[in-house]
Coordinates of all heavy atoms in Angstrom, one line a residue:
P1 N 0.8 -1.2 0.0 CA 0.0 0.0 0.0 C 0.9 1.3 0.0 O 1.9 1.3 0.7 CB -0.8 -0.1 1.3 CG -0.6 -1.5 1.8 CD 0.6 -2.0 1.2
T2 N 0.5 2.3 -0.8 CA 1.4 3.4 -0.9 C 0.9 4.6 0.0 O -0.3 4.8 0.0 CB 1.4 3.9 -2.4 OG1 0.1 4.2 -2.8 CG2 2.1 2.9 -3.3
F3 N 1.8 5.2 0.6 CA 1.5 6.4 1.4 C 2.1 7.6 0.7 O 1.6 8.7 0.9 CB 2.1 6.2 2.8 CG 1.7 7.2 3.8 CD1 0.4 7.2 4.3 CD2 2.5 8.2 4.2 CE1 0.0 8.2 5.2 CE2 2.2 9.2 5.1 CZ 0.9 9.2 5.6
V4 N 3.2 7.4 0.0 CA 3.9 8.4 -0.8 C 3.2 8.4 -2.1 O 3.3 7.4 -2.8 CB 5.4 8.2 -0.8 CG1 6.0 9.3 -1.7 CG2 6.0 8.2 0.5
P5 N 2.6 9.5 -2.6 CA 2.0 9.5 -3.9 C 2.9 9.2 -5.0 O 4.1 9.7 -5.1 CB 1.5 11.0 -4.0 CG 1.4 11.5 -2.7 CD 2.5 10.8 -1.9
G6 N 2.5 8.3 -6.0 CA 3.3 8.0 -7.1 C 4.3 6.9 -6.9 O 4.9 6.5 -7.9
L7 N 4.4 6.4 -5.7 CA 5.4 5.3 -5.5 C 4.7 4.0 -5.5 O 3.7 3.7 -4.9 CB 6.0 5.5 -4.1 CG 7.2 4.7 -3.7 CD1 8.4 4.9 -4.6 CD2 7.5 4.9 -2.2
V8 N 5.3 3.1 -6.4 CA 4.7 1.7 -6.5 C 5.8 0.8 -6.2 O 6.9 0.8 -6.7 CB 4.3 1.5 -8.0 CG1 3.8 0.1 -8.2 CG2 3.2 2.5 -8.4
I9 N 5.5 -0.1 -5.2 CA 6.5 -1.1 -4.7 C 5.8 -2.5 -4.7 O 4.7 -2.6 -4.2 CB 6.9 -0.8 -3.3 CG1 7.5 0.6 -3.2 CG2 7.9 -1.8 -2.8 CD1 7.9 1.1 -1.8
D10 N 6.5 -3.4 -5.3 CA 6.0 -4.8 -5.3 C 6.9 -5.6 -4.5 O 8.2 -5.4 -4.4 CB 6.0 -5.4 -6.8 CG 5.0 -4.7 -7.7 OD1 3.9 -4.4 -7.2 OD2 5.3 -4.6 -8.9
V11 N 6.4 -6.6 -3.8 CA 7.2 -7.5 -2.9 C 7.0 -8.9 -3.4 O 5.9 -9.3 -3.9 CB 6.8 -7.4 -1.4 CG1 7.2 -6.0 -0.9 CG2 5.4 -7.6 -1.2
S12 N 8.0 -9.7 -3.2 CA 7.9 -11.1 -3.5 C 8.7 -11.9 -2.5 O 9.9 -11.6 -2.2 CB 8.5 -11.4 -4.9 OG 8.5 -12.7 -5.2
Q13 N 8.1 -13.0 -1.9 CA 8.8 -13.8 -0.9 C 8.6 -15.3 -1.4 O 7.6 -15.7 -1.8 CB 8.2 -13.6 0.5 CG 8.5 -12.3 1.1 CD 10.0 -12.1 1.4 OE1 10.7 -13.1 1.8 NE2 10.5 -10.9 1.3
T14 N 9.7 -16.0 -1.2 CA 9.7 -17.4 -1.6 C 10.1 -18.3 -0.4 O 11.1 -17.9 0.3 CB 10.7 -17.6 -2.8 OG1 10.3 -16.8 -3.8 CG2 10.8 -19.1 -3.2
V15 N 9.4 -19.4 -0.2 CA 9.8 -20.3 0.8 C 10.0 -21.7 0.2 O 9.2 -22.1 -0.6 CB 8.6 -20.4 1.9 CG1 8.8 -21.5 2.9 CG2 8.5 -19.1 2.6
Q16 N 11.0 -22.4 0.6 CA 11.3 -23.7 0.2 C 11.2 -24.6 1.4 O 11.7 -24.3 2.5 CB 12.7 -23.9 -0.4 CG 12.8 -23.3 -1.8 CD 14.1 -23.6 -2.4 OE1 15.1 -24.0 -1.8 NE2 14.2 -23.4 -3.7
A17 N 10.6 -25.8 1.2 CA 10.4 -26.7 2.3 C 10.5 -28.1 1.8 O 10.1 -28.4 0.6 CB 9.1 -26.5 3.0
P18 N 11.0 -29.1 2.5 CA 11.1 -30.4 2.0 C 9.7 -31.0 2.0 O 8.9 -30.8 2.9 CB 12.0 -31.2 3.1 CG 11.9 -30.3 4.3 CD 11.7 -28.9 3.8
A19 N 9.5 -31.8 1.0 CA 8.2 -32.5 0.8 C 8.2 -33.7 1.8 O 9.2 -34.5 1.9 CB 7.9 -33.0 -0.6
E20 N 7.1 -33.9 2.5 CA 7.1 -35.0 3.4 C 6.7 -36.3 2.7 O 5.8 -36.2 1.8 CB 6.0 -34.7 4.5 CG 6.4 -33.6 5.4 CD 5.4 -33.4 6.5 OE1 4.4 -34.1 6.6 OE2 5.6 -32.4 7.3
K21 N 7.4 -37.3 3.0 CA 7.2 -38.6 2.3 C 7.2 -39.7 3.3 O 8.2 -39.8 4.1 CB 8.3 -38.8 1.2 CG 8.1 -40.0 0.3 CD 9.3 -40.2 -0.6 CE 8.9 -39.8 -2.0 NZ 10.0 -40.1 -2.9
F22 N 6.2 -40.5 3.3 CA 6.2 -41.7 4.2 C 7.0 -42.8 3.6 O 6.8 -43.2 2.5 CB 4.7 -42.1 4.5 CG 4.7 -43.3 5.4 CD1 4.9 -43.1 6.7 CD2 4.4 -44.6 4.9 CE1 4.9 -44.2 7.6 CE2 4.3 -45.6 5.7 CZ 4.6 -45.5 7.1
I23 N 8.0 -43.3 4.4 CA 8.8 -44.4 4.0 C 8.6 -45.5 5.1 O 8.8 -45.2 6.3 CB 10.3 -44.0 3.9 CG1 10.4 -43.0 2.9 CG2 11.1 -45.2 3.6 CD1 11.8 -42.4 2.7
A24 N 8.2 -46.7 4.7 CA 7.9 -47.8 5.6 C 9.3 -48.2 6.2 O 10.3 -48.4 5.5 CB 7.2 -48.9 5.0

C-alpha cells in the first residue's frame, strides 16, 4: 500500500520446504 503519492512497490517472498514422504 502506498503512502507516498506515485510510489509503486512490489514485494515477493519465496519459501522452500522439504516434501514429506512416508517411508515404511
Side-chain angles (χ1 to χ4, degrees):
T2 58
F3 191 74
V4 177
L7 187 64
V8 177
I9 303 172
D10 293 325
V11 293
S12 177
Q13 290 291 327
T14 302
V15 171
Q16 287 185 346
E20 294 180 3
K21 184 187 254 186
F22 178 72
I23 299 175

